[in-house]
């Protein structure tokens, strides 16, 4: 048995349709951002199909809250001893191949499909992302996307650089820090290892809770520092993500112009989908998946 974990923060109709399709082959677990309103009629649809859902964490972009929601879902999944493989996707994903084909691809598969890089070697918008864990941030309280949040972020980097802040030294973090996307596919033993490691290393959890975009660091850092698990990682998560600005969003909100690239690539999911821009694309993908 396999499980799909969906991290959702908007568009309940899309999430419900996605979960319903996936439920044909998977156990589906959803975490809805606590700020989301979930109308009763959608709860009834999910309940009728025995789709698991919780809404416990107030999710803030750039904070550990996204990682915390992932951890919460993983703990829920691990309660079911029959689950052998898990997939983490967003509430703005859609299938690029039939649900059964996705399931079959991971039967008796002990590989971990995950992107990763050494954080010290990566820069984003001119920033060395290792600083996102070396320094302290509090984006559970500050809106990182706002104009103030952007100025605040620059200020934090400057001040902590001048003060020579080193959270790694203070917390006793002796690991190589890795980063990658939160969207992963991994077998049960890798999920158990991640959760157990996090629970037995409160210093690492503290690093993540006070870091920036920590959902993009925690699994990669834990698994890549384990020789046993690192050798099982395939550096490809089979997600189609367009790293361009489109329809006012980065990464792009997808539309029909992306159809050929999606169906001709080695993908199982794509993101981001949003009404009305992606409606025709979803229709065509559904036809292609029949």
């Amino acid at each position: 048995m396999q499980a799909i974990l969906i991290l959702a923060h908007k568009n309940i109709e899309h999430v419900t349709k996605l979960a319903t399709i996936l439920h044909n082959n998977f156990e589906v677990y959803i975490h809805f951002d606590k700020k989301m309103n979930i109308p009763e009629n959608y709860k009834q649809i999910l309940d009728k199909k025995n789709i698991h859902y919780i809404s416990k964490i107030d999710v803030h972009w750039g904070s550990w809250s996204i990682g915390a929601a992932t951890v919460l879902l993983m703990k829920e999944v691990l309660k079911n001893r029959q689950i052998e493989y898990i997939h983490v996707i967003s509430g703005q994903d859609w299938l690029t191949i039939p649900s059964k084909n996705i399931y079959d691809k991971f039967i008796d598969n002990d590989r971990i499909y995950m992107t990763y890089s050494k954080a010290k070697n990566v820069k984003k918008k001119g920033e060395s992302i290792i600083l996102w864990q070396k320094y302290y941030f509090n984006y559970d309280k500050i809106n990182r996307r706002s104009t103030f949040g952007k100025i605040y972020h620059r200020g934090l980097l400057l001040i902590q650089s001048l003060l020579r802040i080193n959270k790694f030294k203070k917390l006793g973090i002796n690991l190589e820090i890795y980063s990658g996307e939160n969207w992963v596919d991994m077998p049960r033993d890798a999920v158990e290892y991640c959760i157990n490691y996090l629970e037995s290393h409160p210093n690492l959890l503290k690093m993540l809770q006070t870091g920036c975009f920590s959902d993009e660091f925690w699994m990669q850092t834990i698994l890549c520092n384990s020789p046993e698990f690192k050798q099982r990682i395939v550096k490809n998560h089979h997600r189609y993500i367009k790293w361009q600005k489109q329809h006012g969003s980065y990464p792009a909100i997808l539309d029909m112009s992306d159809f050929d690239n999606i169906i001709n690539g080695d993908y199982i999911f794509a993101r981001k989908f949003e009404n009305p821009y992606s409606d025709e694309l979803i229709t065509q993908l559904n036809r292609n998946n029949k």
Side-chain angles (χ1 to χ4, degrees):
M1 188 179 291
Q2 298 177 34
I4 299 279
L5 280 56
I6 302 176
L7 297 166
H9 72 283
K10 64 190 299 186
N11 199 343
I12 182 65
E13 182 178 1
H14 178 90
V15 175
T16 302
K17 288 179 180 178
L18 174 64
T20 300
I21 290 175
L22 290 169
H23 182 63
N24 292 327
N25 299 97
F26 298 88
E27 287 293 304
V28 179
Y29 294 75
I30 308 170
H31 181 274
F32 291 108
D33 185 346
K34 203 171 182 179
K35 294 186 290 294
M36 278 186 72
N37 175 44
I38 309 171
E40 281 302 318
N41 59 316
Y42 286 104
K43 289 181 180 179
Q44 290 172 9
I45 293 170
L46 297 173
D47 290 338
K48 186 175 181 180
K49 294 185 176 295
N50 293 317
I51 293 171
H52 315 273
Y53 62 93
I54 53 177
S55 180
K56 294 187 176 181
I57 296 175
D58 189 0
V59 175
H60 296 272
W61 187 74
S63 77
W64 167 240
S65 57
I66 301 172
T70 309
V71 169
L72 197 61
L73 283 181
M74 286 180 170
K75 288 181 177 180
E76 287 296 314
V77 168
L78 291 176
K79 292 176 183 177
N80 184 342
R81 300 300 305 177
Q82 293 182 299
I83 301 295
E84 298 176 342
Y85 208 98
I86 71 104
H87 312 267
V88 181
I89 66 174
S90 81
Q92 290 182 279
D93 279 44
W94 200 258
L95 303 76
T96 62
I97 61 176
S99 176
K100 186 179 186 305
N101 291 16
I102 297 174
Y103 190 95
D104 290 346
K105 186 180 180 75
F106 296 93
I107 293 174
D108 296 325
N109 190 337
D110 73 341
R111 296 293 181 180
I112 300 162
Y113 297 86
M114 178 178 77
T115 62
Y116 71 88
S117 299
K118 288 184 178 181
K120 65 185 179 184
N121 297 334
V122 178
K123 284 190 174 183
K124 293 186 178 180
K125 295 185 178 179
E127 292 179 18
S128 177
I129 68 168
I130 191 69
L131 300 180
W132 296 354
Q133 295 303 317
K134 184 178 180 180
Y135 294 164
Y136 292 87
F137 302 89
N138 60 335
Y139 294 130
D140 54 337
K141 296 181 174 64
I142 301 294
N143 183 354
R144 174 68 178 83
R145 290 183 185 270
S146 67
T147 300
F148 172 77
K150 293 173 183 176
I151 297 170
Y152 179 80
H153 180 74
R154 295 293 182 186
L156 283 179
L157 289 173
L158 176 60
I159 291 169
Q160 294 186 81
S161 174
L162 293 173
L163 293 175
R164 297 185 178 180
I165 297 297
N166 188 340
K167 191 169 63 177
F168 301 142
K169 185 176 181 180
K170 183 173 182 179
L171 294 176
I173 302 292
N174 298 313
L175 302 170
E176 181 77 55
I177 305 300
Y178 288 83
S179 69
E181 293 170 49
N182 193 37
W183 322 119
V184 302
D185 310 282
M186 63 173 73
R188 183 185 184 93
D189 66 330
V191 178
E192 290 175 331
Y193 182 78
C194 285
I195 297 301
N196 291 337
Y197 191 97
L198 202 60
E199 290 182 341
S200 61
H201 293 80
N203 60 335
L204 180 64
L205 179 58
K206 185 68 174 177
M207 180 194 86
L208 297 165
Q209 290 172 333
T210 56
C212 177
F213 299 109
S214 295
D215 58 300
E216 299 179 0
F217 289 84
W218 77 282
M219 287 181 282
Q220 283 79 4
T221 296
I222 291 172
L223 293 173
C224 289
N225 277 280
S226 164
E228 175 190 349
F229 286 103
K230 189 177 182 182
Q231 68 179 356
R232 289 164 53 189
I233 297 174
V234 177
K235 208 174 178 180
N236 182 354
H237 59 8
H238 302 102
R239 289 354 184 236
Y240 178 83
I241 303 173
K242 188 175 182 178
W243 293 103
Q244 299 175 20
K245 190 168 185 179
Q246 184 167 283
H247 302 303
S249 174
Y250 180 89
I253 291 171
L254 306 178
D255 59 26
M256 269 305 295
S257 67
D258 300 293
F259 180 73
D260 287 342
N261 287 334
I262 291 172
I263 64 169
N264 291 321
D266 182 22
Y267 306 112
I268 57 175
F269 292 104
R271 68 183 302 268
K272 300 162 42 174
F273 289 82
E274 190 161 323
N275 171 278
Y277 310 106
S278 309
D279 290 353
E280 185 181 356
L281 176 58
I282 289 175
T283 299
Q284 292 301 322
L285 286 172
N286 289 345
R287 287 175 181 169
N288 195 63
N289 288 342
K290 286 184 178 178

